[in-house]
Amino acid sequence: MAKITVKDTSVTIISVNENDYINLTDIAKYKSNDPTAVIGNWLRNRNTIEYLGIWESLYNPNFKPLEFEGFKKEAGLNAFTLSPTKWINTTNAIGIISKSGRYGGTYAHKDIAFKFASWISVEFELYIVKEFQRLKNEEHQQLGWSAKRELSKINYRIHTDAIKQNLIPQEVTPVQANIIYANEADVLNVAMFGMTAKQWREANPELTGNIRDYATINELICLSNMENLNAVFIEQGMPQSKRLVKLNQIAIQQMSILESGNNYSRKLLK
């Protein structure tokens, strides 16, 4: 569930089957203190019925067209009334849903909600579209950040297990073991970024987190690959100095491919 504020009106958005549904009740409050009556008046409109019927025909294979035709013939008559529940139950519609409870109300797929908003006010429609797009952009940015964090963990256990089995001797203290883990993490940092975690913190005292929090998605893909490769090199008994040079060569090669066309350049370690 998400909320956007449009001209001092708080509008709720929920996700149903990976589609965004916007609360028509919230939108109707912009026009009247009786949102149920506003939605009812909108549903009585012949143009509304035609729009809803066409939308359902396009996206709902279980829509009942004969029942829709019956509503369309009656739409616009003085005696004609139609509630969201009656529309849903009679035509098997999916574009509009009714919810009860704390976040209850009449919700509609964003295509239909924007149509309703334009009926309320063209100005209001423009505002709600703008705010909806802003919310979606923020969500995409958040998803990108989460994806990057998850990607950085893909080969973490393989890497740490290889260190534990091959580089940490018997009878060491947890503090000593942590130093070994940190040293191996910095092998990857230097191979990828050209600096250790400590050097990055000293160069960026104003930033929170660590060097990998500010990596691009391509850099994290490369780091994930290098964790796996470093684990293999460790098990093969390759010395750290040799591993560092080899991983740096791999990082440059992979980043050149991933950043193809972006003039990616890094110097090889000697």
Side-chain angles (χ1 to χ4, degrees):
M1 188 201 73
K3 281 184 176 291
I4 57 176
T5 301
V6 186
K7 295 183 74 63
D8 300 322
T9 301
S10 182
V11 180
T12 306
I13 301 171
I14 61 173
S15 180
V16 179
N17 298 325
E18 299 183 356
N19 289 305
D20 292 307
Y21 279 68
I22 300 175
N23 195 330
L24 299 186
T25 305
D26 290 341
I27 296 175
K29 290 176 182 177
Y30 174 76
K31 187 168 186 176
S32 169
N33 292 327
D34 188 357
T36 301
V38 174
I39 295 171
N41 288 335
W42 177 65
L43 286 172
R44 293 182 68 244
N45 188 289
R46 183 180 179 85
N47 289 336
T48 299
I49 298 298
E50 289 182 345
Y51 182 88
L52 293 176
I54 292 172
W55 189 94
E56 295 288 346
S57 299
L58 288 173
Y59 301 109
N60 180 6
N62 298 315
F63 182 58
K64 298 178 180 179
L66 293 180
E67 285 75 1
F68 156 63
E69 288 296 332
F71 283 137
K72 189 167 72 169
K73 288 178 181 178
E74 295 181 32
L77 298 177
N78 291 335
F80 176 68
T81 60
L82 183 62
S83 68
T85 301
K86 185 177 180 180
W87 168 255
I88 295 165
N89 293 339
T90 305
T91 65
N92 202 28
I94 61 172
I96 294 178
I97 59 176
S98 291
K99 288 179 64 67
S100 58
R102 183 179 178 186
Y103 300 108
T106 300
Y107 287 78
H109 186 279
K110 63 180 185 295
D111 297 346
I112 298 169
F114 293 154
K115 182 71 173 177
F116 178 64
S118 70
W119 181 78
I120 294 288
S121 162
V122 173
E123 180 188 22
F124 189 81
E125 178 197 20
L126 292 173
Y127 276 112
I128 200 170
V129 169
K130 182 178 179 180
E131 281 301 298
F132 180 83
Q133 291 172 336
R134 180 192 60 79
L135 174 66
K136 293 293 105 179
N137 287 336
E138 288 183 356
E139 288 181 353
H140 288 155
Q141 289 173 2
Q142 182 64 30
L143 286 171
W145 184 85
S146 298
K148 289 201 300 181
R149 293 298 296 170
E150 290 303 313
L151 183 60
S152 67
K153 298 175 184 176
I154 291 175
N155 289 315
Y156 177 76
R157 184 171 180 180
I158 296 173
H159 189 234
T160 54
D161 281 355
I163 295 169
K164 182 178 181 180
Q165 297 297 325
N166 297 277
L167 298 181
I168 299 179
Q170 298 287 332
E171 305 297 330
V172 299
T173 67
V175 173
Q176 291 171 321
N178 285 338
I179 292 173
I180 296 173
Y181 284 124
N183 285 340
E184 284 303 319
D186 270 338
V187 168
L188 300 178
N189 289 334
V190 173
M192 182 71 244
F193 305 109
M195 67 180 72
T196 65
K198 181 180 179 181
Q199 288 171 333
W200 181 87
R201 286 193 299 271
E202 291 173 347
N204 300 278
E206 75 285 357
L207 299 179
T208 58
N210 59 58
I211 189 171
R212 300 189 187 196
D213 290 326
Y214 297 89
T216 66
I217 192 70
N218 284 342
E219 287 171 336
L220 288 175
I221 290 171
C222 191
L223 274 169
S224 180
N225 293 338
M226 289 199 300
E227 280 184 326
N228 194 29
L229 290 169
N230 196 37
V232 174
F233 297 156
I234 289 171
E235 290 173 355
Q236 291 175 346
M238 189 181 296
Q240 187 183 84
S241 58
K242 188 174 180 180
R243 283 190 281 113
L244 175 58
V245 172
K246 195 168 186 65
L247 289 168
N248 175 246
Q249 293 170 343
I250 293 169
I252 292 173
Q253 180 188 26
Q254 291 192 1
M255 286 300 295
S256 296
I257 296 171
L258 293 171
E259 299 280 315
S260 178
N262 292 337
N263 298 320
Y264 180 80
S265 62
R266 272 285 308 279
K267 292 183 179 179
L268 290 167
L269 294 174
K270 301 297 183 181

